[in-house]
């Protein structure tokens, strides 16, 4: 089955710890994205990558970092510098050209205690 | 900048029709998407409009007017499983911008 996977579904961390959220896709998509979703707000773009070994900051990149060493994988690290990390994190991918549709993974709900 | 507005909540009866409006102001326009999101789950793609007019897909239809910066999603013959949040998203020059979503509650 082709798709996007994110793990774990729920993640708890203590304040001050870095944490890495995984995102894997086997759709052969070039582009991958990370969004954050908070209650009452639209999805906000954190980082995106249009091709392997390249990525760009989105609207709210501060306190986050990413890597894109493989086409299939786009992990997101939430660092201790992120002031309000508790949120629902969604990864998406798309073919990568023009107005193509983005497809989302199941999400990871991160709670920082 | 991007500004996308949609109502926060709507309630309708099973079997009825509901229309969710979305207005937008964006720098550049390369298409408008509608997604459905059940609580705690991933958004799933419903429709895409890039030209003016109505796109019909089964019980769901989506309309776009680029000159008015306006779209709507029409849900017909509502079913209980349609209770979800519906997200309007506009592709500008390089990225998708999302509205906050409209929570639709279908009552028996």
């Amino acid at each position: 089955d082709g798709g996007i996977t994110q793990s774990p579904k729920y993640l708890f961390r203590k304040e001050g710890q870095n944490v890495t959220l995984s995102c894997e896709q086997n759709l052969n998509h070039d582009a991958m994205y990370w969004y954050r979703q908070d209650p009452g707000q639209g999805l906000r773009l954190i980082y995106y990558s249009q091709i392997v070994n390249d990525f760009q900051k989105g609207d709210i990149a501060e306190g986050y970092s990413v890597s894109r060493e493989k086409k299939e994988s786009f992990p997101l690290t939430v660092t201790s510098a992120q002031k309000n990390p508790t949120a629902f994190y969604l990864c998406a991918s798309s073919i990568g050209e023009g107005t193509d549709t983005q497809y989302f993974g199941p999400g990871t709900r991160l709670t920082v205690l | 900048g991007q500004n996308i507005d949609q109502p926060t909540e709507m309630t309708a009866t099973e079997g009825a029709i509901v229309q969710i409006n979305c207005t937008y102001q964006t720098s550049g326009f390369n298409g408008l998407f509608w997604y459905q999101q059940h609580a705690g789950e991933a958004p799933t793609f419903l429709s895409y409009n890039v030209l003016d007019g109505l796109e019909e897909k089964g019980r769901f239809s989506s309309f776009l007017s680029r000159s008015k910066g306006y779209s709507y999603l029409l849900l017909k013959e509502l079913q209980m499983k349609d209770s979800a949040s519906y997200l309007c998203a506009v592709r500008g020059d390089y990225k998708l911008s999302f509205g906050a979503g409209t929570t639709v509650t279908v009552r028996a």
Side-chain angles (χ1 to χ4, degrees):
Chain A
D1 275 338
I4 306 172
T5 58
Q6 293 183 244
S7 62
K9 180 73 171 172
Y10 299 95
L11 189 56
F12 296 88
R13 279 294 182 269
K14 291 183 179 179
E15 195 173 341
Q17 290 181 333
N18 292 355
V19 59
T20 298
L21 282 58
S22 78
C23 178
E24 305 278 333
Q25 55 96 2
N26 60 5
L27 300 167
N28 201 32
H29 284 173
D30 283 320
M32 297 185 75
Y33 313 82
W34 274 106
Y35 293 91
R36 171 184 172 135
Q37 188 173 35
D38 295 282
Q41 298 190 43
L43 274 67
R44 292 183 289 167
L45 183 64
I46 304 172
Y47 269 98
Y48 66 102
S49 167
Q50 293 179 313
I51 200 167
V52 176
N53 292 322
D54 188 43
F55 50 82
Q56 285 79 39
K57 293 181 179 179
D59 298 321
I60 55 164
E62 184 174 351
Y64 300 98
S65 66
V66 294
S67 63
R68 187 86 188 276
E69 298 176 1
K70 298 187 299 182
K71 187 176 186 176
E72 302 80 15
S73 180
F74 191 41
L76 173 75
T77 297
V78 184
T79 75
S80 56
Q82 168 47 233
K83 297 189 189 315
N84 187 16
T86 295
F88 189 45
Y89 290 88
L90 287 160
C91 178
S93 71
S94 67
I95 294 174
E97 297 177 3
T99 57
D100 59 301
T101 301
Q102 293 184 19
Y103 296 93
F104 287 84
T108 293
R109 185 165 298 280
L110 173 64
T111 302
V112 176
L113 305 170
Chain B
Q2 322 283 30
N3 190 29
I4 300 170
D5 289 316
Q6 49 183 131
T8 303
E9 294 179 335
M10 301 183 76
T11 301
T13 305
E14 196 174 14
I17 298 173
V18 69
Q19 178 175 313
I20 306 169
N21 296 324
C22 173
T23 58
Y24 63 89
Q25 293 176 305
T26 61
S27 55
F29 179 82
N30 287 293
L32 186 143
F33 296 80
W34 284 97
Y35 285 85
Q36 180 192 60
Q37 186 179 26
H38 286 98
E41 297 183 9
T44 55
F45 169 74
L46 289 178
S47 69
Y48 168 68
N49 296 68
V50 67
L51 300 176
D52 290 350
L54 188 68
E55 294 280 342
E56 296 187 82
K57 204 185 277 189
R59 294 189 298 113
F60 294 0
S61 302
S62 57
F63 171 84
L64 175 67
S65 169
R66 288 172 296 169
S67 62
K68 295 182 180 178
Y70 168 70
S71 172
Y72 68 72
L73 179 69
L74 195 68
L75 285 62
K76 295 179 278 190
E77 301 170 19
L78 278 172
Q79 301 175 9
M80 300 300 289
K81 66 178 181 179
D82 297 330
S83 291
S85 183
Y86 292 85
L87 313 179
C88 174
V90 176
R91 178 178 289 280
D93 290 329
Y94 74 97
K95 69 181 181 74
L96 272 184
S97 295
F98 286 81
T102 299
T103 299
V104 172
T105 302
V106 181
R107 300 196 188 280

